[in-house]
Amino acid sequence: MSGAAPGVTVGDGLQQLYQTEIQPLLDELEATRLRARNHSLIVGAIVAPITLLVIAGALLVQIAFLAIFALAAAVIAWAFFTNAARARYRDQFKQNVVARLVHHLNPQLSYVPDTGIGQHEFSASRIYTQGIDRYACEDLITGSFGATAFRLSEVDAEYKTTRTDSKGNTNTSWHTIFQGLFFIGDFNKRFGGMTFVLPDQHEGLLGGVGRTLQAWGGKLDSRPGELVALEDPEFERAFVVYATDQVEARYLLSTSLMRRLLEFRARVKQPLALAFIDSNLYLAISTSKQYFEPPSIFFGSATMTLDDIKAYLADVALARDLIEDLNLNLRIWSKA
Amino acid sequence: MGLILLIVLVLVAAVLVMYNGLIGKRNQVDQAASSVDVMLKKRFDLIPNLVATVDRYMAHERGLLTELTELRTRAVQGDLSTTQRVELDNEIRSALGRLMVSVEAYPDLKASQTFVQLQGALNEAEEQISAARRAYNAAVTSFNNAIQMAPSNILAGMLRLTPRPLFAATEVERRSVDVRGMFQGGQ
């Protein structure tokens, strides 16, 4: 079981799958990795001496600019000539190994490595109100577990700030808005308003004063709704809730769902943010971990053990765990 | 002189802010109480439908059905306070619980589409009533805190604002069968 992934129960079939199907795939993958590594090393062996010569020359004639330029050009050239080999290795891992694990988890699921949940839908959740300047998504898993249809993908959203110093040089820096896994699932209750459950940032420290700050903060950003004070103190320490309807927020966040959310949060050990909009549950798990990526071409080995594969399967099973942990398949209300 | 004027202005502003805060909180309590009423009414309105659906199948539970209908008639009368309505609702809840137990003896009824839909609607009403009560309790707690804590308690005393009671689980409720739990078990 992986440390980062929540406690996943891995089915009995995995060992057999590993021996009969995954291991041959991994052997092929290892061959690809070695080819990619050797190719990268050869390109490096060609680029490096040329670069060193140019830098030495540049330092001799004392043009520091040329030395820096040569170094940058070398890095770009190396990346350009090795990109295809590295991409091939990565694609082969995703197409063969990750796709096989997704299929193993549930044959009905679909996995598309190079697409994800779009920026429009990400923004529609209104969990993050900061304007997005750069957006990337990949590793889309779609399908349903039980009655709950869902989509899950990796998302990386950033904004930029530009500063101009006294010399007139502009300096652009990028800041992360959200990086991690983004989940959209069909919620099991019908509702009409909007409810947001965000990680708590003030109340833990300041108590009642923090609550006042939260109430103001909720009004300041463009997210609709007012602060909802819930009765579970542990939940209140972990999250802050804003909603357009006080009663509806409590209808959605039943006492049992509050408990389940706390438990899920403790298992993933990452900050969670949720939005309930249009009968959907949006859930963002912030993490710097890159999911569904193969081991490094230089420092890793593609001949992975059963435990390594179990860790990947645990990641793949995250959506299932989320649906089970939050009990989204309980369909006893009027919504089918 | 200017200083005294400033102090007076600040005091007046503070009293105004406090006054508005108190009245705002009192109105939130009233609003929350009315949303409890709305959610209760949702459940009451399901009963005639339920009785009509169940009636055709259940030959031996007439007494229970009559009781439900009577309770419902009393509950929707206009001149009840929220507390009285909640008490009636508790009885209705308990009667519904007993009804759901007897449904086990009628497999045809349990399988009927209309009944399954009604069950869903009843579960929803149950969850919404509980949500409305929690919202009411939150509003009352916030109001009671405001009128009992310094310095707003002084103003609250002058306005004769008194603490409101919280909804507590009643004796009937504690004993009554968990309708939702039964639906889950029955599926």
Side-chain angles (χ1 to χ4, degrees):
Chain A
M1 208 172 287
S2 149
V8 167
T9 47
V10 176
D12 300 331
L14 186 66
Q15 186 158 9
Q16 205 203 340
L17 181 81
Y18 177 74
Q19 282 163 355
T20 58
E21 288 189 48
I22 303 274
Q23 257 180 341
L25 291 176
L26 291 178
D27 290 342
E28 285 170 29
L29 187 67
E30 176 66 1
T32 309
R33 182 187 74 84
L34 288 174
R35 270 201 302 279
R37 188 194 65 177
N38 293 342
H39 178 80
S40 302
L41 289 176
I42 290 167
V43 172
I46 296 168
V47 170
I50 301 174
T51 316
L52 285 177
L53 272 177
V54 175
I55 291 177
L59 292 179
L60 266 178
V61 295
Q62 293 190 327
I63 310 176
F65 163 73
L66 187 62
I68 295 167
F69 178 79
L71 195 65
V75 171
I76 293 169
W78 182 83
F80 179 78
F81 287 113
T82 58
N83 184 42
R86 283 180 290 128
R88 201 176 303 126
Y89 168 63
R90 200 165 156 265
D91 288 349
Q92 190 179 338
F93 173 74
K94 292 192 174 196
Q95 296 286 2
N96 294 349
V97 181
V98 178
R100 188 66 195 87
L101 290 175
V102 171
H103 185 82
H104 173 72
L105 189 70
N106 184 339
Q108 311 286 318
L109 298 182
S110 108
Y111 169 66
V112 188
D114 49 9
T115 185
I117 288 166
Q119 183 177 344
H120 180 74
E121 276 191 289
F122 176 79
S123 303
S125 76
R126 301 220 201 178
I127 293 175
Y128 302 94
T129 49
Q130 171 76 47
I132 298 168
D133 294 313
R134 188 158 70 187
Y135 184 88
C137 55
E138 59 173 7
D139 297 312
L140 179 70
I141 302 179
T142 53
S144 45
F145 280 106
T148 307
F150 76 94
R151 278 168 298 152
L152 174 84
S153 90
E154 271 196 297
V155 165
D156 194 352
E158 294 167 292
Y159 71 96
K160 65 175 176 188
T161 51
T162 318
R163 257 209 325 253
T164 311
D165 63 18
S166 54
K167 290 175 193 160
N169 300 324
T170 53
N171 201 342
T172 305
S173 44
W174 291 91
H175 312 273
T176 300
I177 299 169
F178 170 75
Q179 187 190 0
L181 291 171
F182 198 74
F183 170 94
I184 305 178
D186 171 41
F187 196 64
N188 52 1
K189 291 175 185 170
R190 221 191 287 271
F191 56 92
M194 298 185 199
T195 298
F196 304 95
V197 180
L198 309 173
D200 195 321
Q201 278 151 359
H202 310 292
E203 192 171 322
L205 284 174
L206 301 167
V209 179
R211 185 170 296 184
T212 314
L213 286 177
Q214 285 170 351
W216 291 343
K219 289 197 180 97
L220 286 180
D221 61 34
S222 58
R223 207 180 289 113
E226 55 183 45
L227 185 71
V228 179
L230 293 164
E231 55 278 75
D232 186 333
E234 202 188 330
F235 189 85
E236 281 288 277
R237 273 197 296 279
F239 297 106
V240 49
V241 178
Y242 298 99
T244 52
D245 183 331
Q246 292 275 342
V247 175
E248 187 178 87
R250 289 171 177 88
Y251 172 60
L252 298 172
L253 293 165
S254 63
T255 39
S256 82
L257 186 63
M258 285 196 282
R259 280 282 116 194
R260 286 168 177 277
L261 268 175
L262 281 174
E263 279 160 25
F264 185 71
R265 175 173 167 273
R267 280 207 340 192
V268 265
K269 299 188 185 72
Q270 305 291 348
L272 299 181
L274 297 86
F276 299 83
I277 301 174
D278 282 341
S279 269
N280 279 326
L281 166 64
Y282 297 82
L283 192 146
I285 306 171
S286 302
T287 160
S288 54
K289 176 182 169 180
Q290 291 291 317
Y291 282 83
F292 318 120
E293 295 297 323
S296 148
I297 59 165
F298 294 114
F299 311 109
S301 161
T303 43
M304 286 176 269
T305 63
L306 178 61
D307 282 341
D308 295 330
I309 292 298
K310 268 185 190 166
Y312 279 108
L313 183 62
D315 290 346
V316 167
L318 193 81
R320 181 197 63 185
D321 293 346
L322 198 158
I323 289 168
E324 284 174 2
D325 285 4
L326 301 188
N327 212 6
L328 299 184
N329 279 333
L330 180 70
R331 302 275 165 161
I332 59 164
W333 294 278
S334 61
K335 184 175 168 181
Chain B
M1 188 60 202
L3 188 67
I4 295 170
L5 194 70
L6 188 71
I7 291 172
V8 169
L9 271 178
V10 167
L11 275 177
V12 168
V15 168
L16 274 179
V17 168
M18 245 189 279
Y19 177 82
N20 286 344
L22 284 173
I23 299 303
K25 286 191 163 73
R26 191 193 62 191
N27 291 347
Q28 267 169 14
V29 171
D30 292 338
Q31 194 200 348
S34 74
S35 69
V36 174
D37 271 344
V38 169
M39 296 308 177
L40 286 177
K41 191 166 179 303
K42 262 193 180 173
R43 168 141 74 193
F44 300 153
D45 288 347
L46 288 170
I47 289 168
N49 249 334
L50 179 73
V51 170
T53 310
V54 166
D55 199 31
R56 276 180 282 146
Y57 296 87
M58 291 181 142
H60 310 294
E61 327 288 343
R62 282 284 139 71
L64 192 53
L65 294 182
T66 320
E67 187 191 332
L68 258 178
T69 311
E70 274 169 13
L71 282 170
R72 193 252 169 194
T73 315
R74 271 162 57 202
V76 291
Q77 278 165 4
D79 52 348
L80 290 179
S81 73
T82 302
T83 328
Q84 284 170 312
R85 205 161 274 151
V86 166
E87 271 164 22
L88 275 172
D89 179 66
N90 284 331
E91 286 181 52
I92 286 179
R93 197 162 172 268
S94 139
L96 279 173
R98 277 177 281 138
L99 183 71
M100 291 307 159
V101 172
S102 21
V103 165
E104 294 298 310
Y106 303 87
D108 289 351
L109 171 61
K110 254 181 76 180
S112 97
Q113 190 59 36
T114 331
F115 183 71
V116 171
Q117 275 170 7
L118 270 169
Q119 262 187 331
L122 277 170
N123 284 338
E124 205 159 271
E126 170 74 27
E127 196 91 339
Q128 277 167 341
I129 290 168
S130 135
R133 292 171 71 152
R134 284 164 59 210
Y136 176 83
N137 278 350
V140 167
T141 306
S142 163
F143 174 73
N144 288 355
N145 281 346
I147 67 171
Q148 288 171 340
M149 281 179 178
S152 50
N153 59 342
I154 304 167
L155 186 64
M158 294 195 293
L159 292 169
R160 293 177 203 283
L161 295 175
T162 47
R164 304 278 187 95
L166 293 167
F167 273 128
T170 61
E171 204 47 46
V172 189
E173 215 169 346
R174 281 196 212 99
R175 274 187 284 112
S176 81
V177 197
D178 180 0
V179 182
R180 253 185 306 148
M182 228 151 31
F183 284 161
Q184 281 159 257
Q187 280 185 343

